[in-house]
Amino acid sequence: MSARSAARLLAVLCAAAALGGCGVGPGEGPQAGVKLTVTRDFGSRPLLERDRLQVADADTVMRVLQRNAEVRTRFGGDFVQSIEGVAGGRRDGRPVDWFLYVNGILAERGASAVRLRGGDRVWWDHHDWGLTPDVPAVVGSFPEPFLHGSAGRRLPVRVECEDPRAAACDAVAGKLISLGIPAGRSEIGGSAADDTLRVLVGPWSRLRGRDAEADSLDRGPRSSGVYARFDAASATRLTVLDPRGRAARTLGAGTGLIAATRAVERQPVWFVTGTDAAGVDSAARAFDESALNDRFALAISRDLPVGVPLQEGAR
Amino acid sequence: MTPRASALHAARAPIAAAYACALVVAVLSFEHPLVLAALGAAIVATGALARCARSLARAALFGVPFAVAIALVNPLVAREGLNVVLRLGEIGPLGHLDVTRESLVFGAILGLRALLVVLAGGALLSATVDPDELLARFRRVSVRSALTAALAVRLVPVLGRDARRLADARRCRPDAAARPNTAERLQIVRAVATGAMDRALDVAATLEVRGYATPAAPGRGRRPPEPWSRHDLAVAVSALALLALCAGARLAGVAGFDAYPRTELALGTAEWVLAGALVLVALAPFAERRGIEP
């Protein structure tokens, strides 16, 4: 190969590298910071919280975690084995491990493959997965995923209400709009696109059977990842389960529930629901960052929060 | 007594082999750059004192490209490290690829270790240990294994001689150049490789005819145990001391090195003392010059 050919080849390679998003160094950081939360037992025991972390283009969830906590990895650095000395494995004969949520959505790839964007909320939780390893969406990163979406892409948001003129529907839509999230409003089943983030608002008896994700919640935590169950007949009672799937507490009339689930290849669906209209109103009042923070799901009984799943001795 | 080239040549074969293996174990025991550098210096100095520097240089011709390949591949496959120095974007099946300073450093360390293993476990061992003596002693332990090892050891030079004969034959052709080009070299290699199995059978049959496969009758043909020479003792003690130093350092947590997520290494007095001790212990057998060629 002549010197001229080599120079041409080098120029082509440099151009391809530049066009392919290559660069020297970690790259520029986004304007908004990233929030990192590390908890145990379905968010009930906080281990570490860092807010407004500055990240660069090349940063992954794993790098940000390793910069801020003592981490041991496995599988070539792709997966976390322990954070701050808390390791995956077995505890009291039950399987426990670290699970990663980015903007409230369970990560489907290793932490070293998940890129971060400005405003993302990263949540690591160490919990018992004996009942199900698949809790596909959680509410504890609110206002995510509504604000920054998923994988750096903002998503359309629609509030679907059993009664679009109800106060609860107004409260939920108003809360999203006050956060700068353009949220459309419709009746149940009004969104056709799989890429829409939906919030279903209404009593469970009226949501039941009208939506595929709602059906998954009725099938139990193995199907939806939500550790709570409305009674099969009239949905007038809500049974909150513990991490093993056993009934921990049964809540009666006036109980609300905020939970999220996600079907394969679809965006998360949130439920702001309850045993009756009073319960839905309670849930709508709790549709707020301070109430939802670090919760997998939240039940509200007599305006008091009940964590879902219900941990022994937890808040 | 015939003077020998070095203390390693003067020591009996299993002990000289154990010394080379101890160096390999030492290399594989540490990732600390200072300790690896000290072991590298010890291996090169050992090669020079054992008068086999040329063998080490020949092995390095193969070992250095091998080490460089390891050093270059590691940053492309490792996903770890906090300090990104190069963003390569999406690269096919490898996914999104970032080269980190930590993966470059660890790649270089892996490459250096591979090179030192080639030098100590390959070049130094083959240049200072008599394979016939080693196999003869090993035969007492396992006849079949010794025969297999003898076959493996002898097959390579047999094939080398075959290749030289084929090259000589090629040069006898009227249209042949003085030196074969790449295509002609490849033809010779192909001819030798395709006949390797036949040659292996020939070598095996020859070894069998010479009695390699027949275990010695009890009490017959067994040489009386030889007393240990000063070189046997010196090399054996050196090998044991190398292993003891490695074990002690590991147990005491000396020369700690973390490649990921940040490159962190201990560099205190203990590490310098360990590095110096490894070099001294490795070279100590060569201080004894009695019975060694001037």
Side-chain angles (χ1 to χ4, degrees), chain A residues 20 22-27 58 63 66-67 73 76-77 115, chain B residues 79-82 84-89 96 98 100 261-262:
Chain A
C22 302
V24 178
R63 282 199 190 107
Q66 286 180 324
R67 270 195 212 111
T73 60
R115 304 259 142 193
Chain B
R79 289 282 184 273
E80 297 178 85
L82 290 182
V84 176
V85 292
L86 199 60
R87 285 168 288 128
L88 297 178
H96 204 105
D98 298 322
T100 62
R262 284 188 186 88

Side-chain angles (χ1 to χ4, degrees), chain A residues 50-91:
Chain A
R50 298 276 188 277
D51 210 352
R52 288 190 279 280
L53 293 172
Q54 291 305 310
V55 293
D57 282 350
D59 273 335
T60 60
V61 169
M62 185 64 89
R63 282 199 190 107
V64 168
L65 179 67
Q66 286 180 324
R67 270 195 212 111
N68 291 280
E70 190 186 323
V71 182
R72 285 188 177 279
T73 60
R74 55 185 169 171
F75 304 124
D78 259 353
F79 294 88
V80 163
Q81 170 61 24
S82 77
I83 301 175
E84 301 287 85
V86 180
R90 297 190 84 80
R91 187 178 63 196

Side-chain angles (χ1 to χ4, degrees), chain A residues 269-285:
Chain A
V269 175
W270 283 44
F271 303 102
V272 179
T273 184
T275 51
D276 46 31
V280 178
D281 288 340
S282 293
R285 283 195 293 277

Side-chain angles (χ1 to χ4, degrees), chain A residues 103 118-121 141-150 153-155 157 176 178-182 197 289:
Chain A
N103 291 346
D120 280 351
R121 291 197 175 201
S141 296
F142 185 82
E144 304 301 343
F146 303 106
L147 199 55
H148 291 96
S150 168
R153 193 164 60 94
R154 282 190 76 164
L155 299 165
V157 179
L176 292 173
S178 72
L179 292 167
I181 301 160
L197 282 168
E289 187 171 357

Side-chain angles (χ1 to χ4, degrees), chain A residues 8-303:
Chain A
R8 281 182 186 158
L9 181 62
L10 192 62
V12 168
L13 286 175
C14 288
L19 290 172
C22 302
V24 178
E28 294 281 320
Q31 296 301 311
V34 166
K35 183 178 179 183
L36 171 68
T37 304
V38 182
T39 61
R40 295 180 70 175
D41 301 329
F42 296 93
S44 64
R45 295 167 64 188
L47 278 182
L48 183 148
E49 186 163 311
R50 298 276 188 277
D51 210 352
R52 288 190 279 280
L53 293 172
Q54 291 305 310
V55 293
D57 282 350
D59 273 335
T60 60
V61 169
M62 185 64 89
R63 282 199 190 107
V64 168
L65 179 67
Q66 286 180 324
R67 270 195 212 111
N68 291 280
E70 190 186 323
V71 182
R72 285 188 177 279
T73 60
R74 55 185 169 171
F75 304 124
D78 259 353
F79 294 88
V80 163
Q81 170 61 24
S82 77
I83 301 175
E84 301 287 85
V86 180
R90 297 190 84 80
R91 187 178 63 196
D92 301 332
R94 305 279 299 173
V96 289
D97 225 321
W98 285 103
F99 291 82
L100 166 64
Y101 293 87
V102 179
N103 291 346
I105 301 171
L106 182 67
E108 292 171 343
R109 293 185 295 168
S112 62
V114 180
R115 304 259 142 193
L116 285 173
R117 277 87 177 177
D120 280 351
R121 291 197 175 201
V122 177
W123 182 9
W124 287 94
D125 186 70
H126 180 269
H127 63 244
D128 179 336
W129 55 271
L131 183 63
T132 174
D134 190 21
V135 180
V138 294
V139 301
S141 296
F142 185 82
E144 304 301 343
F146 303 106
L147 199 55
H148 291 96
S150 168
R153 193 164 60 94
R154 282 190 76 164
L155 299 165
V157 179
R158 181 165 289 273
V159 179
E160 297 185 8
C161 303
E162 183 270 334
D163 176 6
R165 290 163 297 177
C169 191
D170 283 341
V172 171
K175 180 67 189 176
L176 292 173
I177 289 165
S178 72
L179 292 167
I181 301 160
R185 215 190 299 193
S186 71
E187 293 188 346
I188 303 290
S191 311
D194 289 345
D195 248 6
T196 302
L197 282 168
R198 296 184 300 140
V199 185
L200 271 53
V201 184
W204 191 251
S205 57
R206 308 298 297 270
L207 300 183
R208 173 178 274 167
R210 296 175 67 182
D211 184 272
E213 277 81 2
D215 290 346
S216 81
L217 200 144
D218 263 341
R219 283 195 294 273
R222 281 201 180 92
S223 177
S224 64
V226 178
Y227 286 69
R229 202 192 285 265
F230 286 96
D231 71 276
S234 56
T236 52
R237 282 194 312 260
L238 177 71
T239 303
V240 179
L241 310 177
D242 71 4
R244 299 187 180 204
R246 299 173 301 198
R249 195 165 162 190
T250 301
L251 306 170
T255 299
L257 174 70
I258 304 177
T261 188
R262 181 180 181 226
V264 179
E265 303 287 318
R266 288 168 69 104
Q267 295 302 337
V269 175
W270 283 44
F271 303 102
V272 179
T273 184
T275 51
D276 46 31
V280 178
D281 288 340
S282 293
R285 283 195 293 277
F287 190 68
D288 182 75
E289 187 171 357
S290 59
L292 296 176
N293 193 36
D294 296 350
R295 306 276 193 186
F296 269 55
L298 178 70
I300 305 100
S301 174
R302 300 193 180 98
D303 279 333

